[in-house]
């Protein structure tokens, strides 16, 4: 049945990613995907082991997509310009692909994490930090701070947390990035 439907692992993962954007990453299952393709669940098991495997593959796809966008946005930029461009990649991706964005936070086993684009994200964040005067351990703290600020803001915004009051969320986003840049420029901790 799967061959007749033209199913491949890549096609299933892409469809799973689309499903995540439509119904939420938490609701992605092999059963729901089988319904989408009008095939029996067993037909998919030659391509994905189970729902956890499907979610892992969606997470890997989303991390790679986000890393590709980040690389393109960072080309030729440094300092605050690079920080802002990278931040906007995260925010824009989350708005366009909310389910996939959630997938980027999926806990991967060590082997999958090592093979993922997660390392590229860390390298890009460290490249941004070369524009600031930070040595270790401050640089590692800054990597974690940047990730926390981006993810925290974007997650709250996606949940509607900023839609009920002024100023506009875009204004607060710019203010947040200005303050983050100023903090990073303040140099190493004493």
């Amino acid at each position: 049945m799967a061959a007749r439907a033209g199913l491949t692992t890549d096609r299933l993962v892409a469809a799973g990613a689309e499903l995540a954007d439509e119904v939420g990453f938490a609701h992605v299952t092999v059963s729901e995907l089988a319904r989408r393709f009008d095939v029996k669940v067993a037909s998919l098991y030659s391509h994905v082991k189970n729902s956890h495997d499907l979610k892992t593959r969606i997470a890997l796809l989303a991390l790679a997509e986000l890393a590709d966008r980040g690389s393109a946005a960072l080309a030729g930029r440094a300092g605050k310009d690079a920080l802002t461009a990278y931040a906007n990649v995260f925010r824009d991706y989350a708005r366009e692909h909310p389910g996939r964005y959630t997938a980027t936070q999926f806990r991967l086993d060590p082997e999958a994490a090592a093979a993922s684009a997660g390392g590229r994200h860390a390298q890009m964040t460290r490249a941004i930090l070369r524009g600031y005067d930070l040595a270790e351990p401050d640089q590692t703290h800054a990597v974690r701070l940047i990730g926390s600020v981006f993810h925290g803001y974007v997650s709250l915004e996606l949940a509607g947390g900023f839609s009920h009051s002024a100023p506009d969320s875009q204004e607060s986003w710019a203010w947040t990035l200005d303050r983050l840049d100023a903090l990073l420029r303040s140099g190493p901790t004493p």
Side-chain angles (χ1 to χ4, degrees):
M1 200 177 233
R4 211 167 18 111
L7 297 181
T8 65
T9 302
D10 289 344
R11 186 169 175 218
L12 289 173
V13 172
E18 290 172 15
L19 179 63
D21 289 338
E22 293 170 22
V23 301
F25 183 67
H27 301 290
V28 173
T29 64
V30 173
S31 297
E32 183 58 36
L33 203 54
R35 278 192 283 283
R36 293 262 168 144
F37 284 98
D38 195 27
V39 298
K40 294 182 191 250
V41 172
S43 300
L44 304 187
Y45 288 131
S46 62
H47 302 286
V48 294
K49 294 177 196 169
N50 50 39
S51 291
H52 187 272
D53 180 43
L54 175 62
K55 286 184 173 185
T56 297
R57 291 171 185 270
I58 293 168
L60 294 172
L61 171 71
L63 285 166
E65 288 176 344
L66 193 53
D68 290 345
R69 287 185 182 198
S71 287
L74 288 176
R77 296 182 179 188
K80 183 181 178 196
D81 189 36
L83 179 70
T84 300
Y86 196 53
N88 287 331
V89 163
F90 274 79
R91 188 173 183 224
D92 293 346
Y93 187 80
R95 288 171 157 183
E96 292 169 31
H97 301 291
R100 292 178 211 204
Y101 180 76
T102 299
T104 66
Q105 305 303 312
F106 188 65
R107 185 178 201 131
L108 299 173
D109 66 56
E111 186 177 315
S116 79
R120 287 176 57 203
H121 290 280
Q123 290 171 348
M124 284 185 279
T125 305
R126 288 188 183 276
I128 291 167
L129 291 174
R130 282 196 288 268
Y132 299 92
D133 183 27
L134 296 172
E136 287 299 344
D138 289 327
Q139 191 174 95
T140 296
H141 297 317
V143 168
R144 293 173 180 166
L145 174 66
I146 288 169
S148 298
V149 169
F150 292 178
H151 179 64
Y153 193 97
V154 166
S155 296
L156 288 169
E157 185 177 46
L158 285 177
F162 305 136
S163 62
H164 59 278
S165 62
D168 179 77
S169 181
Q170 177 59 39
E171 185 178 334
S172 293
W173 178 245
W175 184 91
T176 299
L177 296 178
D178 285 344
R179 295 315 176 273
L180 182 56
D181 173 67
L183 176 64
L184 294 171
R185 286 192 188 290
S186 69
T189 56

